[in-house]
Amino acid sequence: MKIPFLSRPKTPVVERRRQVRLRTRGDSYVRLEGRDVPLINWSEEGFLAGPYSGGLIAGQKAVARIVVRDYHDRTGTLDLELAVVIKRVGGPGIAARFFSPERYKRQALQTYYAAKRAEVKKT
């Protein structure tokens, strides 16, 4: 006898991110609560930084300054201060999603991300 809610088939794990996260290869960080946290990976929509030992919790809004600098880089440095919503804290670090950035900041993110993505595809 099968019990409907206990015998559901397992669904395969599916990548739900709309964009590929790019790993950093240099001195990149996120400034949260006045502390610099090393940036692990990022995309146009958010970032993962860690290790983090601050007081932010999931669902909380905060202001983050993201600085992406790679060694031997031709695209320059991305340095933006953005509002974020914390998605999760723990594990490898803190994950956050950018919260309605201004148009010029969104365009800067998109342009820099596209340049980085093209650079990654070449190598």
Side-chain angles (χ1 to χ4, degrees), residues 21-22 73 76 97 116 119:
R21 287 192 176 176
L22 302 176
D73 191 10
R97 180 174 227 129
K116 283 300 201 183
E119 186 179 302

Side-chain angles (χ1 to χ4, degrees), residues 1-121:
M1 180 174 126
K2 288 187 176 182
I3 302 171
F5 59 89
L6 293 178
S7 59
R8 290 187 185 147
K10 297 255 182 183
T11 57
V13 177
V14 177
E15 181 64 42
R16 287 181 273 186
R17 291 189 185 118
R18 286 181 256 170
Q19 296 166 332
V20 176
R21 287 192 176 176
L22 302 176
R23 288 197 156 299
T24 58
R25 297 180 307 229
D27 182 29
S28 301
Y29 64 91
V30 175
R31 179 165 290 157
L32 288 164
E33 300 178 309
R35 297 181 192 155
D36 292 345
V37 181
L39 186 63
I40 297 171
N41 58 40
W42 68 284
S43 72
E44 280 182 39
E45 296 182 352
F47 63 84
L48 175 65
Y52 176 73
S53 61
L56 294 174
I57 59 172
Q60 186 175 0
K61 289 183 184 175
V63 175
R65 178 178 173 208
I66 182 169
V67 178
V68 180
R69 267 189 298 230
D70 285 347
Y71 299 129
H72 310 292
D73 191 10
R74 296 185 184 115
T75 54
T77 300
L78 177 71
D79 187 352
L80 293 173
E81 192 165 305
L82 299 161
V84 296
V85 174
I86 307 302
K87 289 298 178 183
R88 107 180 149 265
V89 179
I94 184 168
R97 180 174 227 129
F98 301 128
F99 182 73
S100 62
E102 291 89 352
R103 182 178 295 142
Y104 71 95
K105 291 181 181 180
R106 169 66 67 192
Q107 288 173 347
L109 265 172
Q110 289 172 342
T111 303
Y112 195 81
Y113 181 80
K116 283 300 201 183
R117 188 91 165 106
E119 186 179 302
V120 168
K121 284 183 179 180

